[in-house]
Amino acid sequence: MDKRLEELKNEYKNTPIPKELDEVVNKALQHKNKKPFRYHWLVGAAAAAIIFTASVNISPTFAKNLSKVPVLGSVVEVITFKEINVDDENYNAHLKVPKVNNLNNKKLENSLNKKYIAENQKLYNDFTKEVENLKKKGGGHLGVNSGYEVKTDDDKILSIERYVVNTQASSSTTVQYDTVDKEKQILLTLPILFKDHDYIKVISENIKDQMRDQMKKDPNKIYWVDNAGIEDLDLTEAFNQISANQSFYINKDHKLVITFNEYEVAPGYMGTVEFIIPTKVISNELVGHDYIK
């Protein structure tokens, strides 16, 4: 394992810095009369005065960021690959980039990791552009925070959540998930799990039932669903059905969890919401019970 960690350190230390980030840093340094961003570098492999820093969490205090399960003679890891931290009085960005290691399917592994880097680089680029716009208009407040959580990690399944919280006048949260079959080394989608598209209607009706039931039991919960007693509800905006590739993950009990972003099916104060679908409801629609039990 020590040899593997040393290889990871060397790999991260040699990671090239995107040119566009160099340009952003140089531009920031030219604003002598303005309070500069304070960059706090979180270092794993080597110290470097750059925005993207390679960070490998190897101490016990960071154990929760590591996920290790034997798979076909190797160890699959989810680690914090890079972090971006910008702290200014009115502008803050804290971005954490996950990295998947040791999948036998290198094409899948590379695809996931490139996607994670691209997502966070876009977040950073959008952040710096908006900061420049706000400063031109006299200033303001802006924040962005991204991270990840390993939702499920066992012999069969690896489910990774990535979240983004944007804060300006108000805040909004979005979540995305990737679920990998670690035995077959494939990325799972909803269509893969089911025989045909009938699952869309079956799951959607169950979610509506759950929404109505939750609202009856808790008056503080509101969902945009018909026949739920909501006054002035525009039925054209009410939740009708999930999409064929609706966001989902498989939890530790191997139950299907359907998720929605903030404002998607409920008011903003409800945040992101999710619904565990009872397996008995979708049992006849499933291709098999390898994943959902």
Side-chain angles (χ1 to χ4, degrees):
M1 183 60 69
D2 290 341
K3 182 178 179 181
R4 176 57 181 157
L5 289 174
E6 188 63 33
E7 292 175 352
L8 284 172
K9 290 181 181 180
N10 291 331
E11 174 187 346
Y12 297 154
K13 185 165 63 176
N14 295 323
T15 301
I17 306 169
K19 293 182 178 179
E20 55 269 33
L21 295 185
D22 283 335
E23 295 174 0
V24 171
V25 174
N26 291 332
K27 183 181 296 185
L29 292 175
Q30 293 173 3
H31 293 284
K32 297 181 180 179
N33 296 324
K34 297 182 179 180
K35 183 179 179 180
F37 289 143
R38 299 190 301 275
Y39 297 98
H40 301 283
W41 311 116
L42 299 181
V43 181
I50 55 176
I51 292 172
F52 272 118
T53 69
S55 177
V56 184
N57 295 329
I58 58 177
S59 69
T61 57
F62 289 103
K64 65 180 181 179
N65 288 330
L66 299 179
S67 175
K68 302 178 181 180
V69 177
V71 178
L72 301 178
S74 64
V75 175
V76 174
E77 299 176 319
V78 181
I79 63 175
T80 299
F81 177 45
K82 297 176 185 292
E83 292 196 26
I84 310 170
N85 287 278
V86 177
D87 287 304
D88 185 81
E89 184 176 355
N90 296 318
Y91 311 110
N92 306 96
H94 303 286
L95 312 179
K96 185 181 292 185
V97 186
K99 184 177 190 291
V100 179
N101 279 332
N102 296 333
L103 282 176
N104 289 335
N105 185 341
K106 292 305 176 184
K107 182 177 181 180
L108 173 59
E109 179 181 292
N110 292 335
S111 175
L112 290 173
N113 292 333
K114 287 180 180 179
K115 177 173 67 173
Y116 300 154
I117 291 174
E119 287 174 349
N120 281 276
Q121 179 155 344
K122 184 178 186 304
L123 285 173
Y124 178 78
N125 290 341
D126 291 346
F127 170 79
T128 55
K129 289 178 182 178
E130 184 60 23
V131 167
E132 290 180 2
N133 290 334
L134 288 173
K135 286 186 174 182
K136 290 177 181 178
K137 296 177 181 178
H141 297 270
L142 184 67
V144 60
N145 178 41
S146 77
Y148 69 95
E149 179 183 349
V150 177
K151 305 293 287 187
T152 305
D153 190 1
D154 57 29
D155 292 340
K156 186 72 174 179
I157 294 292
L158 175 65
S159 284
I160 308 170
E161 174 191 273
R162 287 113 58 224
Y163 61 84
V164 178
V165 181
N166 287 291
T167 306
Q168 198 163 6
S170 60
S171 66
S172 64
T173 303
T174 59
V175 291
Q176 300 182 75
Y177 298 88
D178 287 315
T179 297
V180 176
D181 177 339
K182 293 198 293 187
E183 291 181 353
K184 296 180 180 178
Q185 301 276 304
I186 59 173
L187 186 66
L188 299 179
T189 64
L190 279 184
I192 286 178
L193 301 177
F194 296 96
K195 299 174 184 177
D196 52 42
H197 277 69
D198 287 349
Y199 73 88
I200 296 176
K201 182 177 180 181
V202 173
I203 292 176
S204 298
E205 291 305 313
N206 180 260
I207 289 175
K208 290 178 183 178
D209 289 341
Q210 290 194 48
M211 287 177 171
R212 298 183 187 107
D213 186 58
Q214 288 183 31
M215 291 172 66
K216 287 180 181 178
K217 294 179 179 178
D218 186 349
N220 294 317
K221 289 188 175 182
I222 294 178
Y223 294 104
W224 295 322
V225 59
D226 60 326
N227 299 324
I230 305 176
E231 295 183 3
D232 301 323
L233 175 66
D234 186 348
L235 294 182
T236 61
E237 297 179 356
F239 169 67
N240 183 32
Q241 66 178 27
I242 63 170
S243 65
N245 287 292
Q246 184 69 39
S247 181
F248 79 97
Y249 68 93
I250 297 174
N251 68 16
K252 294 178 181 179
D253 296 323
H254 280 240
K255 304 299 182 184
L256 178 65
V257 184
I258 299 296
T259 70
F260 297 91
N261 285 325
E262 197 170 351
Y263 299 104
E264 195 171 355
V265 295
Y269 78 87
M270 291 281 289
T272 59
V273 295
E274 58 182 42
F275 299 89
I276 299 174
I277 309 302
T279 301
K280 63 181 181 180
V281 171
I282 55 176
S283 182
N284 292 334
E285 313 302 327
L286 290 167
V287 172
H289 290 274
D290 288 344
Y291 310 116
I292 311 298
K293 300 177 181 178

